[in-house]
Amino acid sequence: MKETIFKQLNDKVDHNIERSKELYNEALNHLVGGVNSPARSFNKVNYHPIYFKQGKGAIIIDEDNNSYIDYVLAWGTLILGHSDEYIVNELKKQLEIGIHFGACHYYEIEFAKLVKEAFKNIEKLRVVNSGTEAVLSAIRLAKNYTQRNKILKFEGNYHGHVDSLLTKGGSSILTQEINIKENETIVCEYNNKKEVELAFEKYGKEIAAVIVEPIAGNMGVVKPINGFLKFLREITKEYNSVLIFDEVITGFRFCFGGISNEYDPDITILGKIVGGGLPIGVYGGKSEIMDNLAPLGQTFQAGTFSGNPLTMLSGILTLNILKQKNYSYLEELGEILENGIKTIKSKYNLNIYFNRYKSMWSLFFTDLNEIKNYKDVIKSDTKLYGEFFKYLIKRGVYLPPSQFEAAFLSFEHNMSLISKTLDIIEEFFKNYF
Ligand SMILES: *Cc1c(COP(=O)(O)O)cnc(C)c1O
Protein backbone atom coordinates (compact mmCIF):
# COMPACT_ATOMS: atom_id res chain seq x y z
CA MET A 1 0.00 0.00 0.00
CA LYS A 2 2.55 2.51 1.13
CA GLU A 3 4.80 1.61 -1.76
CA THR A 4 2.12 2.36 -4.34
CA ILE A 5 1.59 5.75 -2.77
CA PHE A 6 5.32 6.39 -2.95
CA LYS A 7 5.40 5.52 -6.58
CA GLN A 8 2.52 7.85 -7.38
CA LEU A 9 4.09 10.55 -5.28
CA ASN A 10 7.47 10.23 -6.94
CA ASP A 11 5.98 10.00 -10.41
CA LYS A 12 4.02 13.20 -9.89
CA VAL A 13 7.23 15.16 -9.65
CA ASP A 14 8.99 15.74 -12.91
CA HIS A 15 12.72 15.38 -12.59
CA ASN A 16 14.50 15.27 -15.87
CA ILE A 17 17.94 13.75 -15.44
CA GLU A 18 18.41 12.49 -18.99
CA ARG A 19 21.92 13.90 -19.36
CA SER A 20 22.95 12.40 -16.01
CA LYS A 21 21.62 9.05 -17.19
CA GLU A 22 23.56 9.25 -20.45
CA LEU A 23 26.76 10.14 -18.64
CA TYR A 24 26.31 7.37 -16.11
CA ASN A 25 25.79 4.79 -18.85
CA GLU A 26 28.97 5.99 -20.51
CA ALA A 27 30.86 6.00 -17.21
CA LEU A 28 29.92 2.39 -16.58
CA ASN A 29 32.17 1.41 -19.50
CA HIS A 30 35.20 3.13 -18.08
CA LEU A 31 35.01 3.59 -14.33
CA VAL A 32 34.40 0.76 -11.91
CA GLY A 33 30.69 0.84 -11.17
CA GLY A 34 30.67 4.17 -12.99
CA VAL A 35 32.12 5.99 -9.99
CA ASN A 36 35.31 7.02 -8.23
CA SER A 37 33.80 6.58 -4.76
CA PRO A 38 30.98 4.11 -3.96
CA ALA A 39 28.48 6.45 -2.25
CA ARG A 40 28.29 8.54 -5.43
CA SER A 41 26.38 5.76 -7.15
CA PHE A 42 23.30 6.60 -5.00
CA ASN A 43 22.63 2.85 -4.91
CA LYS A 44 21.71 2.95 -1.22
CA VAL A 45 18.69 5.08 -2.01
CA ASN A 46 17.78 3.14 -5.15
CA TYR A 47 18.50 6.06 -7.36
CA HIS A 48 20.80 7.00 -10.12
CA PRO A 49 23.98 9.09 -9.93
CA ILE A 50 23.45 12.73 -10.68
CA TYR A 51 26.19 14.52 -12.56
CA PHE A 52 26.84 17.93 -11.11
CA LYS A 53 28.52 20.65 -13.12
CA GLN A 54 28.40 23.80 -11.05
CA GLY A 55 28.03 25.06 -7.51
CA LYS A 56 27.49 28.51 -6.06
CA GLY A 57 26.84 29.23 -2.39
CA ALA A 58 24.39 26.67 -1.01
CA ILE A 59 23.17 25.70 -4.48
CA ILE A 60 24.45 22.93 -6.71
CA ILE A 61 23.43 22.49 -10.38
CA ASP A 62 23.38 19.29 -12.44
CA GLU A 63 24.04 18.53 -16.11
CA ASP A 64 20.31 18.80 -16.88
CA ASN A 65 20.27 22.28 -15.30
CA ASN A 66 18.27 21.23 -12.25
CA SER A 67 19.33 23.14 -9.15
CA TYR A 68 19.33 21.83 -5.60
CA ILE A 69 19.78 23.18 -2.10
CA ASP A 70 22.89 21.31 -1.07
CA TYR A 71 22.98 19.70 2.39
CA VAL A 72 25.80 17.32 1.47
CA LEU A 73 28.38 20.02 0.72
CA ALA A 74 30.97 17.55 -0.52
CA TRP A 75 30.47 15.46 2.63
CA GLY A 76 30.76 18.40 4.98
CA THR A 77 33.74 20.02 3.29
CA LEU A 78 32.22 23.22 1.93
CA ILE A 79 31.34 25.12 5.10
CA LEU A 80 31.69 28.40 3.17
CA GLY A 81 29.46 27.10 0.39
CA HIS A 82 30.48 26.41 -3.21
CA SER A 83 33.02 28.55 -5.06
CA ASP A 84 33.63 31.43 -2.68
CA GLU A 85 34.52 34.28 -5.04
CA TYR A 86 37.47 35.61 -3.07
CA ILE A 87 39.07 32.18 -2.66
CA VAL A 88 38.53 31.33 -6.33
CA ASN A 89 40.27 34.53 -7.44
CA GLU A 90 43.25 33.98 -5.16
CA LEU A 91 43.61 30.39 -6.38
CA LYS A 92 43.58 31.60 -9.99
CA LYS A 93 46.55 33.87 -9.22
CA GLN A 94 48.40 30.97 -7.61
CA LEU A 95 47.78 28.79 -10.67
CA GLU A 96 49.74 31.29 -12.75
CA ILE A 97 52.62 31.51 -10.28
CA GLY A 98 53.12 27.82 -9.65
CA ILE A 99 50.88 24.79 -9.32
CA HIS A 100 53.30 22.54 -7.55
CA PHE A 101 56.96 22.43 -6.64
CA GLY A 102 57.22 19.15 -4.73
CA ALA A 103 59.49 21.11 -2.39
CA CYS A 104 59.19 23.52 0.52
CA HIS A 105 57.29 26.77 0.18
CA TYR A 106 56.00 29.47 2.49
CA TYR A 107 52.28 28.57 2.59
CA GLU A 108 53.05 25.32 4.41
CA ILE A 109 54.27 27.31 7.40
CA GLU A 110 51.38 29.77 7.38
CA PHE A 111 48.87 26.92 7.17
CA ALA A 112 50.53 25.04 10.06
CA LYS A 113 50.47 28.18 12.22
CA LEU A 114 46.74 28.62 11.65
CA VAL A 115 45.98 25.00 12.55
CA LYS A 116 48.08 25.31 15.72
CA GLU A 117 46.33 28.52 16.65
CA ALA A 118 43.03 26.62 16.48
CA PHE A 119 44.12 23.39 18.20
CA LYS A 120 46.04 23.74 21.41
CA ASN A 121 46.93 20.02 21.54
CA ILE A 122 48.79 20.30 18.23
CA GLU A 123 52.47 21.21 18.58
CA LYS A 124 53.64 19.73 15.28
CA LEU A 125 51.68 18.57 12.29
CA ARG A 126 52.01 16.99 8.89
CA VAL A 127 49.85 17.59 5.85
CA VAL A 128 48.86 14.77 3.50
CA ASN A 129 46.29 14.41 0.70
CA SER A 130 43.26 12.77 2.25
CA GLY A 131 41.69 11.86 5.56
CA THR A 132 42.44 8.21 4.88
CA GLU A 133 46.13 8.94 4.39
CA ALA A 134 46.25 10.98 7.60
CA VAL A 135 44.61 8.19 9.59
CA LEU A 136 46.84 5.43 8.25
CA SER A 137 49.93 7.53 8.90
CA ALA A 138 48.80 8.39 12.43
CA ILE A 139 48.15 4.71 13.16
CA ARG A 140 51.60 3.74 11.87
CA LEU A 141 53.11 6.47 14.01
CA ALA A 142 51.19 5.41 17.13
CA LYS A 143 52.26 1.78 16.65
CA ASN A 144 55.92 2.71 16.27
CA TYR A 145 55.80 5.19 19.13
CA THR A 146 54.23 2.74 21.59
CA GLN A 147 55.84 -0.38 20.11
CA ARG A 148 52.39 -1.99 20.30
CA ASN A 149 50.17 -3.48 17.65
CA LYS A 150 46.49 -3.22 18.49
CA ILE A 151 44.09 -0.44 17.63
CA LEU A 152 40.76 0.09 19.36
CA LYS A 153 38.00 1.60 17.25
CA PHE A 154 34.23 1.99 17.55
CA GLU A 155 31.49 0.29 15.65
CA GLY A 156 29.94 2.64 13.09
CA ASN A 157 32.86 5.08 13.14
CA TYR A 158 34.60 5.60 9.81
CA HIS A 159 38.24 6.57 9.48
CA GLY A 160 38.77 6.27 5.74
CA HIS A 161 39.49 3.02 3.93
CA VAL A 162 42.46 1.95 6.04
CA ASP A 163 42.46 -1.90 5.97
CA SER A 164 42.62 -2.47 9.70
CA LEU A 165 39.89 0.09 10.37
CA LEU A 166 37.31 -1.02 7.83
CA THR A 167 35.99 -3.59 10.27
CA LYS A 168 32.54 -2.47 11.27
CA GLY A 169 33.17 0.95 9.87
CA GLY A 170 30.63 3.59 9.08
CA SER A 171 29.81 5.70 6.04
CA SER A 172 29.02 3.84 2.83
CA ILE A 173 30.80 0.71 4.08
CA LEU A 174 27.89 0.24 6.47
CA THR A 175 25.81 -0.57 3.47
CA GLN A 176 28.32 -1.91 0.95
CA GLU A 177 28.88 -5.21 2.77
CA ILE A 178 32.64 -5.24 2.72
CA ASN A 179 34.14 -7.77 5.05
CA ILE A 180 37.68 -7.36 6.19
CA LYS A 181 39.06 -9.06 9.25
CA GLU A 182 42.21 -7.89 10.90
CA ASN A 183 42.82 -9.29 14.32
CA GLU A 184 44.84 -6.25 15.31
CA THR A 185 41.65 -4.26 15.53
CA ILE A 186 39.43 -4.29 18.57
CA VAL A 187 35.95 -3.01 17.89
CA CYS A 188 33.85 -1.62 20.75
CA GLU A 189 30.36 -0.21 20.79
CA TYR A 190 30.25 3.59 20.58
CA ASN A 191 29.25 5.19 23.90
CA ASN A 192 29.86 1.92 25.76
CA LYS A 193 32.42 2.55 28.51
CA LYS A 194 32.07 -0.96 29.88
CA GLU A 195 33.25 -2.58 26.64
CA VAL A 196 36.25 -0.28 26.46
CA GLU A 197 37.13 -1.11 30.07
CA LEU A 198 36.95 -4.83 29.31
CA ALA A 199 39.09 -4.40 26.20
CA PHE A 200 41.73 -2.58 28.22
CA GLU A 201 41.64 -5.13 31.02
CA LYS A 202 42.30 -7.85 28.51
CA TYR A 203 44.63 -6.18 26.00
CA GLY A 204 45.63 -2.90 27.70
CA LYS A 205 49.38 -3.34 27.28
CA GLU A 206 49.01 -4.16 23.57
CA ILE A 207 46.77 -1.26 22.59
CA ALA A 208 48.77 1.30 20.63
CA ALA A 209 45.87 3.67 20.07
CA VAL A 210 42.20 4.37 20.47
CA ILE A 211 40.67 6.17 17.51
CA VAL A 212 37.26 7.82 17.70
CA GLU A 213 35.02 10.26 15.88
CA PRO A 214 34.30 12.63 18.80
CA ILE A 215 30.90 13.35 17.27
CA ALA A 216 30.08 10.41 15.04
CA GLY A 217 29.02 11.44 11.53
CA ASN A 218 29.53 8.33 9.44
CA MET A 219 26.64 6.25 10.75
CA GLY A 220 24.45 9.32 10.60
CA VAL A 221 24.94 11.80 13.44
CA VAL A 222 25.40 10.12 16.83
CA LYS A 223 26.53 12.21 19.77
CA PRO A 224 28.85 10.99 22.54
CA ILE A 225 27.08 10.49 25.86
CA ASN A 226 28.13 12.63 28.77
CA GLY A 227 31.58 11.69 30.01
CA PHE A 228 32.42 9.25 27.20
CA LEU A 229 35.21 11.26 25.61
CA LYS A 230 36.64 12.22 29.00
CA PHE A 231 36.64 8.55 29.94
CA LEU A 232 38.57 7.70 26.75
CA ARG A 233 41.14 10.34 27.63
CA GLU A 234 41.57 8.91 31.12
CA ILE A 235 41.78 5.24 30.23
CA THR A 236 44.26 5.80 27.38
CA LYS A 237 46.43 7.84 29.75
CA GLU A 238 46.30 5.11 32.34
CA TYR A 239 47.48 2.48 29.84
CA ASN A 240 49.87 4.76 27.91
CA SER A 241 47.92 4.32 24.68
CA VAL A 242 47.69 7.09 22.13
CA LEU A 243 44.29 8.78 21.93
CA ILE A 244 43.43 9.83 18.38
CA PHE A 245 40.48 12.10 17.67
CA ASP A 246 39.38 11.79 14.06
CA GLU A 247 38.10 15.32 13.48
CA VAL A 248 38.01 15.06 9.69
CA ILE A 249 34.37 16.14 9.84
CA THR A 250 34.25 18.01 13.15
CA GLY A 251 37.41 20.11 12.76
CA PHE A 252 36.36 23.74 12.14
CA ARG A 253 32.73 22.65 11.77
CA PHE A 254 31.47 24.07 15.08
CA CYS A 255 34.08 26.69 15.92
CA PHE A 256 37.55 27.84 14.88
CA GLY A 257 39.07 24.63 16.23
CA GLY A 258 37.46 21.41 17.34
CA ILE A 259 36.38 19.01 20.06
CA SER A 260 40.06 18.22 20.74
CA ASN A 261 40.45 21.47 22.66
CA GLU A 262 38.16 20.12 25.38
CA TYR A 263 39.79 16.68 25.79
CA ASP A 264 43.43 17.03 24.79
CA PRO A 265 43.89 13.91 22.62
CA ASP A 266 47.47 12.98 21.66
CA ILE A 267 46.79 13.17 17.94
CA THR A 268 44.08 15.02 16.01
CA ILE A 269 43.20 14.16 12.43
CA LEU A 270 41.80 16.84 10.16
CA GLY A 271 40.59 16.87 6.56
CA LYS A 272 37.54 17.98 4.58
CA ILE A 273 37.00 21.63 5.70
CA VAL A 274 40.71 22.48 6.15
CA GLY A 275 41.46 22.08 2.43
CA GLY A 276 38.80 24.61 1.44
CA GLY A 277 37.57 22.18 -1.24
CA LEU A 278 40.93 20.80 -2.39
CA PRO A 279 42.19 17.35 -1.33
CA ILE A 280 43.76 17.29 2.10
CA GLY A 281 44.41 15.37 5.30
CA VAL A 282 46.31 16.57 8.37
CA TYR A 283 47.58 14.83 11.46
CA GLY A 284 49.14 16.60 14.36
CA GLY A 285 49.73 16.41 18.06
CA LYS A 286 52.38 16.48 20.73
CA SER A 287 55.97 16.90 19.49
CA GLU A 288 57.05 13.94 21.59
CA ILE A 289 54.95 11.71 19.33
CA MET A 290 55.09 13.61 16.04
CA ASP A 291 58.91 13.87 16.11
CA ASN A 292 59.08 10.12 15.55
CA LEU A 293 58.24 10.78 11.90
CA ALA A 294 60.97 10.86 9.23
CA PRO A 295 63.18 12.83 8.75
CA LEU A 296 63.54 13.17 12.55
CA GLY A 297 62.46 9.65 13.52
CA GLN A 298 62.05 6.12 12.26
CA THR A 299 58.43 6.21 11.07
CA PHE A 300 58.39 6.79 7.33
CA GLN A 301 55.65 8.78 5.61
CA ALA A 302 55.91 10.90 2.49
CA GLY A 303 53.83 12.35 -0.34
CA THR A 304 54.44 13.86 -3.77
CA PHE A 305 51.47 16.22 -3.48
CA SER A 306 51.45 16.73 0.29
CA GLY A 307 51.07 20.36 1.27
CA ASN A 308 51.01 21.57 -2.32
CA PRO A 309 50.68 25.35 -2.82
CA LEU A 310 47.11 25.30 -4.09
CA THR A 311 45.72 23.21 -1.24
CA MET A 312 47.70 25.17 1.32
CA LEU A 313 46.51 28.51 -0.04
CA SER A 314 42.93 27.28 -0.22
CA GLY A 315 43.24 26.08 3.39
CA ILE A 316 44.82 29.31 4.62
CA LEU A 317 42.15 31.48 3.02
CA THR A 318 39.35 29.26 4.33
CA LEU A 319 40.71 29.20 7.87
CA ASN A 320 41.29 32.96 7.88
CA ILE A 321 37.69 33.50 6.84
CA LEU A 322 36.42 31.01 9.43
CA LYS A 323 38.41 32.81 12.14
CA GLN A 324 36.17 35.83 11.57
CA LYS A 325 32.91 33.92 11.24
CA ASN A 326 30.16 33.87 13.78
CA TYR A 327 29.44 30.16 14.16
CA SER A 328 26.30 30.86 16.16
CA TYR A 329 24.70 31.70 12.81
CA LEU A 330 24.96 28.01 11.86
CA GLU A 331 23.62 27.02 15.26
CA GLU A 332 20.57 29.28 14.75
CA LEU A 333 19.86 27.80 11.33
CA GLY A 334 20.22 24.31 12.81
CA GLU A 335 17.72 25.15 15.53
CA ILE A 336 15.19 26.48 13.05
CA LEU A 337 15.52 23.35 10.96
CA GLU A 338 15.20 21.13 14.02
CA ASN A 339 12.13 22.97 15.35
CA GLY A 340 10.51 22.81 11.93
CA ILE A 341 11.06 19.08 11.66
CA LYS A 342 9.80 18.51 15.20
CA THR A 343 6.63 20.40 14.34
CA ILE A 344 6.10 18.24 11.25
CA LYS A 345 6.83 15.14 13.32
CA SER A 346 4.12 15.88 15.86
CA LYS A 347 1.65 17.21 13.29
CA TYR A 348 1.71 13.94 11.35
CA ASN A 349 2.64 11.71 14.29
CA LEU A 350 5.73 10.37 12.54
CA ASN A 351 8.25 7.73 13.51
CA ILE A 352 11.28 9.87 12.83
CA TYR A 353 14.14 11.04 14.98
CA PHE A 354 16.10 14.19 14.23
CA ASN A 355 19.58 14.05 15.64
CA ARG A 356 21.67 17.18 15.42
CA TYR A 357 24.93 18.48 16.76
CA LYS A 358 25.08 22.17 15.86
CA SER A 359 25.42 22.30 12.04
CA MET A 360 25.50 18.55 11.36
CA TRP A 361 22.35 16.46 11.44
CA SER A 362 20.55 13.31 10.43
CA LEU A 363 16.92 12.42 10.09
CA PHE A 364 16.51 8.80 11.16
CA PHE A 365 13.42 6.88 10.08
CA THR A 366 12.90 5.09 13.37
CA ASP A 367 10.60 4.93 16.36
CA LEU A 368 13.51 5.18 18.79
CA ASN A 369 13.76 8.45 20.66
CA GLU A 370 17.40 8.13 21.51
CA ILE A 371 20.24 6.96 19.29
CA LYS A 372 23.48 6.08 21.04
CA ASN A 373 25.29 3.58 18.86
CA TYR A 374 25.40 1.56 15.69
CA LYS A 375 22.87 -1.00 16.90
CA ASP A 376 20.31 1.79 17.32
CA VAL A 377 21.18 3.33 13.97
CA ILE A 378 20.68 0.17 11.95
CA LYS A 379 17.13 -0.20 13.18
CA SER A 380 16.24 2.68 10.86
CA ASP A 381 14.07 2.10 7.83
CA THR A 382 16.57 2.61 5.03
CA LYS A 383 14.00 1.90 2.35
CA LEU A 384 11.81 4.71 3.58
CA TYR A 385 14.84 6.98 3.79
CA GLY A 386 15.45 6.15 0.12
CA GLU A 387 11.94 7.25 -0.82
CA PHE A 388 12.42 10.43 1.19
CA PHE A 389 15.74 11.11 -0.53
CA LYS A 390 14.21 10.58 -3.96
CA TYR A 391 11.24 12.81 -3.29
CA LEU A 392 13.43 15.61 -1.98
CA ILE A 393 15.92 15.42 -4.81
CA LYS A 394 13.11 15.64 -7.33
CA ARG A 395 11.92 18.77 -5.54
CA GLY A 396 15.40 20.36 -5.51
CA VAL A 397 16.83 19.38 -2.13
CA TYR A 398 20.01 17.32 -2.09
CA LEU A 399 20.42 15.20 1.06
CA PRO A 400 23.02 12.53 1.80
CA PRO A 401 22.39 9.51 -0.46
CA SER A 402 22.26 7.12 2.52
CA GLN A 403 20.51 6.98 5.88
CA PHE A 404 23.98 6.56 7.39
CA GLU A 405 25.59 9.80 6.32
CA ALA A 406 25.41 13.20 7.99
CA ALA A 407 23.87 16.30 6.43
CA PHE A 408 25.45 19.73 6.89
CA LEU A 409 24.74 23.44 6.89
CA SER A 410 27.03 26.10 5.43
CA PHE A 411 27.39 29.84 5.97
CA GLU A 412 25.65 30.25 2.60
CA HIS A 413 22.44 28.61 3.82
CA ASN A 414 19.81 31.01 5.08
CA MET A 415 16.34 31.20 6.59
CA SER A 416 14.57 31.23 3.28
CA LEU A 417 16.37 28.09 2.04
CA ILE A 418 15.63 26.33 5.33
CA SER A 419 12.00 27.29 5.20
CA LYS A 420 11.73 26.12 1.57
CA THR A 421 13.31 22.82 2.60
CA LEU A 422 10.87 22.40 5.49
CA ASP A 423 7.92 22.98 3.14
CA ILE A 424 9.17 20.24 0.82
CA ILE A 425 9.76 17.86 3.75
CA GLU A 426 6.24 18.50 5.00
CA GLU A 427 4.89 17.92 1.48
CA PHE A 428 6.50 14.47 1.48
CA PHE A 429 5.01 13.41 4.80
CA LYS A 430 1.63 14.96 4.09
CA ASN A 431 1.32 12.98 0.88
CA TYR A 432 2.72 9.81 2.32
CA PHE A 433 0.74 9.37 5.49
C1 LIG B 1 35.74 11.55 5.28
C2 LIG B 1 36.34 10.97 6.50
C3 LIG B 1 37.57 10.31 6.48
C4 LIG B 1 38.29 10.00 5.20
O1 LIG B 1 38.71 11.14 4.52
P1 LIG B 1 39.01 11.02 2.94
O2 LIG B 1 39.54 12.37 2.59
O3 LIG B 1 37.72 10.69 2.29
O4 LIG B 1 40.02 9.93 2.79
C5 LIG B 1 38.12 9.91 7.67
N1 LIG B 1 37.50 10.12 8.84
C6 LIG B 1 36.31 10.73 8.90
C7 LIG B 1 35.66 10.96 10.23
C8 LIG B 1 35.68 11.16 7.73
O5 LIG B 1 34.47 11.73 7.80
Side-chain angles (χ1 to χ4, degrees):
M1 177 64 188
K2 276 180 183 173
E3 264 167 44
T4 348
I5 298 173
F6 272 149
K7 189 155 186 341
Q8 286 165 358
L9 187 60
N10 279 324
D11 288 349
K12 257 199 287 191
V13 188
D14 186 32
H15 187 229
N16 179 5
I17 51 164
E18 288 315 307
R19 181 73 187 135
S20 277
K21 282 183 182 164
E22 269 171 37
L23 291 170
Y24 179 52
N25 287 332
E26 194 182 342
L28 284 170
N29 296 324
H30 311 293
L31 296 166
V32 182
V35 296
N36 280 316
S37 193
R40 295 180 194 174
S41 69
F42 290 9
N43 59 338
K44 296 304 155 194
V45 285
N46 289 314
Y47 208 52
H48 195 283
I50 290 182
Y51 281 72
F52 295 108
K53 63 172 182 187
Q54 204 180 343
K56 189 73 201 156
I59 304 299
I60 189 165
I61 300 171
D62 73 11
E63 288 280 352
D64 293 279
N65 295 317
N66 301 300
S67 61
Y68 309 87
I69 307 170
D70 186 3
Y71 290 99
V72 182
L73 299 164
W75 312 97
T77 299
L78 303 171
I79 195 167
L80 297 175
H82 291 268
S83 305
D84 179 272
E85 204 173 310
Y86 167 69
I87 296 180
V88 169
N89 282 329
E90 295 301 307
L91 289 177
K92 278 185 196 160
K93 289 184 213 163
Q94 183 59 39
L95 278 169
E96 285 174 7
I97 300 171
I99 296 177
H100 190 31
F101 312 120
C104 296
H105 62 95
Y106 171 66
Y107 291 151
E108 296 173 290
I109 305 170
E110 198 173 323
F111 178 80
K113 281 184 180 167
L114 274 164
V115 171
K116 283 180 59 177
E117 190 184 328
F119 284 85
K120 56 181 190 239
N121 64 317
I122 298 184
E123 292 172 353
K124 295 268 183 66
L125 59 91
R126 182 156 288 173
V127 178
V128 291
N129 305 294
S130 70
T132 297
E133 202 185 329
V135 169
L136 80 84
S137 308
I139 296 284
R140 180 183 300 152
L141 178 61
K143 285 182 175 178
N144 280 351
Y145 172 71
T146 57
Q147 291 294 304
R148 299 175 179 178
N149 240 332
K150 287 192 169 19
I151 302 293
L152 190 152
K153 68 151 296 196
F154 295 95
E155 195 178 16
N157 277 194
Y158 175 68
H159 304 292
H161 56 92
V162 180
D163 280 353
S164 59
L165 299 179
L166 277 175
T167 338
K168 299 191 178 175
S171 205
S172 50
I173 60 166
L174 282 184
T175 43
Q176 303 279 353
E177 286 140 31
I178 289 167
N179 220 338
I180 291 173
K181 288 202 177 54
E182 291 260 334
N183 52 17
E184 287 167 17
T185 312
I186 303 165
V187 183
C188 289
E189 190 174 71
Y190 195 68
N191 277 329
N192 189 332
K193 290 186 198 177
K194 194 77 220 159
E195 278 196 17
V196 177
E197 269 165 7
L198 288 174
F200 269 96
E201 273 167 30
K202 199 160 175 201
Y203 301 111
K205 295 206 165 66
E206 296 166 64
I207 298 176
V210 170
I211 185 165
V212 66
E213 283 185 75
I215 313 290
N218 287 295
M219 50 176 156
V221 175
V222 179
K223 293 180 264 191
I225 56 168
N226 238 338
F228 183 63
L229 297 174
K230 186 162 172 278
F231 159 78
L232 293 181
R233 176 64 287 183
E234 286 164 356
I235 198 160
T236 45
K237 228 174 213 155
E238 189 187 329
Y239 284 88
N240 291 317
S241 301
V242 174
L243 178 62
I244 305 174
F245 270 18
D246 183 346
E247 296 222 52
V248 170
I249 287 181
T250 56
F252 297 95
R253 169 121 303 268
F254 317 120
C255 61
F256 183 74
I259 315 285
S260 293
N261 286 325
E262 282 171 63
Y263 299 97
D264 195 33
D266 303 297
I267 296 179
T268 295
I269 316 265
L270 299 168
K272 295 191 169 104
I273 290 176
V274 290
L278 292 180
I280 195 167
V282 174
Y283 61 115
K286 307 205 169 29
S287 298
E288 190 197 325
I289 299 175
M290 295 304 293
D291 285 352
N292 291 285
L293 280 175
L296 293 183
Q298 299 295 316
T299 309
F300 191 74
Q301 183 271 308
T304 302
F305 296 104
S306 294
N308 69 78
L310 280 175
T311 301
M312 289 297 86
L313 180 58
S314 175
I316 291 164
L317 298 170
T318 302
L319 296 189
N320 273 324
I321 293 173
L322 289 175
K323 203 153 85 172
Q324 310 300 326
K325 283 285 188 193
N326 180 9
Y327 275 85
S328 60
Y329 173 73
L330 295 182
E331 172 64 19
E332 280 161 34
L333 288 184
E335 252 170 50
I336 291 164
L337 182 65
E338 177 166 349
N339 291 335
I341 290 189
K342 284 184 171 160
T343 306
I344 296 168
K345 175 181 164 139
S346 56
K347 191 167 164 187
Y348 299 93
N349 195 18
L350 303 169
N351 285 336
I352 55 174
Y353 179 70
F354 189 76
N355 211 11
R356 177 176 73 90
Y357 187 83
K358 296 175 193 263
S359 61
M360 70 192 267
W361 53 275
S362 292
L363 182 63
F364 291 105
F365 284 79
T366 182
D367 53 5
L368 298 178
N369 41 36
E370 189 186 31
I371 289 194
K372 291 205 307 283
N373 56 44
Y374 177 69
K375 287 189 186 70
D376 294 340
V377 163
I378 54 163
K379 286 179 190 138
S380 309
D381 185 341
T382 53
K383 210 168 164 208
L384 189 47
Y385 181 84
E387 295 305 324
F388 178 67
F389 170 90
K390 276 189 270 184
Y391 187 77
L392 264 67
I393 205 145
K394 289 176 183 188
R395 297 285 283 108
V397 175
Y398 176 38
L399 290 185
S402 159
Q403 171 75 97
F404 308 126
E405 302 278 3
F408 299 94
L409 299 170
S410 77
F411 284 102
E412 288 294 306
H413 285 74
N414 57 40
M415 296 275 276
S416 107
L417 293 177
I418 300 283
S419 124
K420 195 170 164 194
T421 303
L422 284 167
D423 287 347
I424 293 167
I425 290 176
E426 175 159 7
E427 204 177 278
F428 171 80
F429 286 115
K430 191 162 99 190
N431 287 308
Y432 173 53
F433 289 101

